[in-house]
Amino acid sequence: MARKTNKTDHVLGLLAGKNEEQAGAAEKREEAAASKEESGKTAGSNVQVVARQEEDDAIADTVKHLLEEELDEEEGGAAEIPEILIDEAEEAQALKEAEEEAKRLAEEEAKAAEEELRRKAAEELKKAEEIRKAAEEELRKAEEARQAAEEARMSAEEEALKRAEEEALRAAEEKGKDEKGEYVFLNVMETLVREKVDIYMNQFATCQCSRCRADITALALTSLPSKYVVVSRNAATPLMNFYSQRYAGAITVEITKACTKVKEHPHHGRN
């Protein structure tokens, strides 16, 4: 915004004075017009119009000149660049404060990041602990199930052995013989494999020679768990019926695998 100067005041004063003069002249002209004749008024009016026109032109030129000078001064002043004074102490202090603030913000960010890492680590540790406990619980349940199955198996075997002994004793009593004290040991798996090996050798069209039969029997028994029992001679047959049903699946699988291997790579005829 242009500032108001003495020259501007002067221009405004000229304009104000001109307005006042024009107002007074207008009143005088009206009074003169009322008293003069028509011819005299026409001549006087022409003189006054010329004088006013010259005066107005002079005032306009003065105003224009003053305004141009004021505009030049304002443009010249705006072009000047004011001198900027810098207080080195204040600048150093501001720089120090900015560095301290940046350091503080960096420390806060690092602290927040560290806390976030700790929180995540704690959560991961908690999850790992929960997984470990769940795994231990599963192992405990599996062990309990295994023990229960083992106990059930032993109980079933004991019950089968008891029934076999009772049946053997009853049969001996019917025959009038007392063979209760005659006991034998049995290799359960070997007995069952020997009973079934010929059946599967025929099914797979395996060689029937003694070497192939012995190889198949040995190979199947190698993959089966050993099982020995002591029983009275008369109770052996009923007890073997029990074990035959119990281990039928495992014995079938191992004899089948043995027949396949021996048929592909027989040992008979080798030196």
Side-chain angles (χ1 to χ4, degrees), residues 216 219-224 249-259:
I216 292 171
L219 190 58
L221 288 173
T222 301
S223 301
L224 290 169
I251 290 173
T252 299
V253 170
E254 296 305 328
I255 294 178
T256 300
K257 289 163 61 178
C259 287

Side-chain angles (χ1 to χ4, degrees), residues 168-182:
L169 181 60
R170 181 180 57 79
E173 289 176 350
E174 289 177 356
K175 291 180 181 180
K177 298 179 180 180
D178 185 9
E179 299 179 356
K180 183 178 179 180
E182 187 177 356

Side-chain angles (χ1 to χ4, degrees), residues 19 49 71 109 123 133 153 164 180 210 220 223 225 251 255:
N19 291 335
V49 169
L71 181 61
E109 291 178 358
E123 290 179 355
K133 289 182 178 180
R153 183 188 65 78
K180 183 178 179 180
S210 60
S223 301
I251 290 173
I255 294 178

